[in-house]
Structure formats: structure tokens, C-alpha cells
Amino acid sequence: MNAPNPPMRAAIVPVTAFQQNCTLLWCTETNKAAFVDPGGDLPKLKEAVRQTGVEVEKILVTHGHMDHCGQAGMLAKELGVPIEGPHEDDRFWIERFAEDGARFGMIGEPFEPDRWLVDGDTVTVGNLVIDVIHCPGHTPGHVVFHHAPSKLAIVGDVIFQGSIGRTDFPRGNHQQLLASITQKLWPLGGDTTFLPGHGAHSSFAHERRTNPFVSDMALNNQSVFKSGEIT
């Protein structure tokens, strides 16, 4: 991402009362772009497009929570672009936007993605080829987008700087989330920068050193405690 002429550029646009990090990413060779998780504040998102001068060709979704994609369907209709993601296991979240919107005082609209994603898929933005990694735990259908040449991952609510995603929502699973992080994200490399769904960016190396939930030390202590080696 810091190369003189990087293949990808990305801008963060916080949206909704939850300050969810919507990402506008684009291919520098073609100027084609995608929004990742456009949960709301559509005028602000369209202004970001105007300021950057990019051409949005699709919308990508990490998971089905309303702050991440409650207005993705509405934006897709306005821009005339397809939606890709998340994994179909999050269909039940997307179908309940009317109910959740009333609960949180938000406006949302259920949608059917043009393409549900599965682990091992790729998505394209211009000439960029981005890997799709299924990382359940926060939600069952959560996916992460990874662009290896840029050493960048867009991780939604799987992991944050200093924290991890909640698992107390319907169909959340704490152990599954830990497995997603340690078995699917750590192998991407410590020098990978990640953009989370909320808060500041970080790197996997930094979180392996310092994150109180999934640092190497924290996980080792959990393992020792479960084995009964300490009392």
C-alpha cells in the first residue's frame, strides 16, 4: 500500500451511528472501484466517489449485520451495480433488516446478493484479484477480503485493534471465531495490515503480540489453563 504506484488504493468512510468503517477501494490502473460494507449514510459515500473520481463497479459485503450492509441494496440500485458477498449463511441476518432497523432506529432494506461467496473464491475490482476467506464466528457467513500483493485485508468484525468480534449475537460462536483468526488470518503474514469494521487499522503481527484475546501469549495461557497445568 505504501509503494510509489500501488495497484490498490483504499479510503475509509465511517458510516452510521456505529461509526462502521465502509471502505472505498479501487484499482489504480483502471480507476474501477468497489464499496466494502456500505451500511448507510449514502450521500457521504457518493461524495467520496465524487472526490476520488473513481468509477464504482460493485459492492462487496463482509457480513450481514445492518451497520455493514443495511443500505447496500439501496446503493446498488442507485448506482446500478451488483453485490457480492457475504457467505449465504448470513442470509437470515439480511432478511431481518426491517425488524433490526426499527430496533436500532436505522433504515435498511433486505437484498439478495448477485453472488454469495464461499471460502476460496476471488472477486475482482478492475484488474485487482482479491481472495475471499470465510471466517465464521462473529456471524456464520462472515468473509474477509485479502489482497496479497498489497498485504491488505478487510476483515469486517472478525478482529479489531486490541479486540475481537462479539459472539453473543444469534449463531455467533467464540471458539469458531478464534479458529478463524488463528487458522485463517495469521497465516496471511504478520506484515499484513488489516482494516477492521470499527476503529483503527492494525497488523496481524501487532495483534499477535498485544491483543488480549488472541495474542500468542493469551492463547497459550488459555491452553495451559484448560489443560489443568495451573491451579
Side-chain angles (χ1 to χ4, degrees):
M1 290 296 289
N2 295 321
N5 295 296
M8 173 196 287
R9 290 192 183 277
I12 302 298
V13 186
V15 297
T16 80
F18 294 94
Q19 289 294 285
Q20 191 276 125
N21 288 332
C22 174
T23 301
L24 176 62
L25 64 86
W26 66 94
C27 168
T28 56
E29 291 184 3
T30 65
N31 214 40
K32 300 288 188 178
F35 274 118
V36 185
D37 289 358
D41 294 333
L42 301 191
K44 182 188 292 188
L45 298 183
K46 287 183 280 189
E47 176 61 17
V49 173
R50 188 193 68 80
Q51 290 184 7
T52 55
V54 298
E55 180 184 350
V56 177
E57 65 174 2
K58 67 180 59 175
I59 290 170
L60 304 175
V61 174
T62 64
H63 66 291
H65 283 167
M66 189 156 189
D67 56 327
H68 287 256
C69 63
Q71 294 187 11
M74 299 161 62
L75 183 61
K77 290 177 184 176
E78 287 191 30
L79 299 180
V81 299
I83 299 175
E84 299 183 7
H87 186 285
E88 194 169 5
D89 283 350
D90 270 11
R91 178 189 287 274
F92 79 102
W93 278 113
I94 295 170
E95 289 177 341
R96 54 187 273 175
F97 280 164
E99 173 189 341
D100 287 345
R103 178 182 305 145
F104 295 112
M106 300 170 66
I107 297 174
E109 183 178 287
F111 63 90
E112 177 79 13
D114 296 85
R115 178 188 176 200
W116 296 103
L117 298 174
V118 298
D119 194 65
D121 275 348
T122 59
V123 296
T124 60
V125 179
N127 292 337
L128 303 172
V129 179
I130 301 171
D131 296 316
V132 175
I133 305 169
H134 183 209
C135 291
H138 178 64
T139 68
H142 201 304
V143 297
V144 163
F145 298 106
H146 176 235
H147 188 241
S150 299
K151 298 182 179 180
L152 180 74
I154 300 174
V155 300
D157 287 355
V158 173
I159 186 170
F160 306 101
Q161 184 185 89
S163 189
I164 59 174
R166 291 176 58 177
T167 54
D168 56 336
F169 295 119
R171 305 188 197 178
N173 186 305
H174 183 72
Q175 290 305 314
Q176 198 173 45
L177 181 65
L178 296 182
S180 289
I181 294 169
T182 58
Q183 297 174 22
K184 295 190 172 183
L185 298 188
W186 287 173
L188 300 180
D191 58 349
T192 298
T193 296
F194 68 86
L195 305 180
H198 305 266
H201 68 275
S202 185
S203 71
F204 293 144
H206 180 75
E207 299 310 308
R208 288 191 72 165
R209 289 193 305 269
T210 64
N211 192 295
F213 299 94
V214 287
S215 68
D216 293 347
M217 180 178 294
L219 293 174
N220 182 63
N221 288 343
Q222 290 177 31
S223 177
V224 170
F225 181 78
K226 287 179 180 178
S227 71
E229 293 179 20
I230 59 175
T231 60

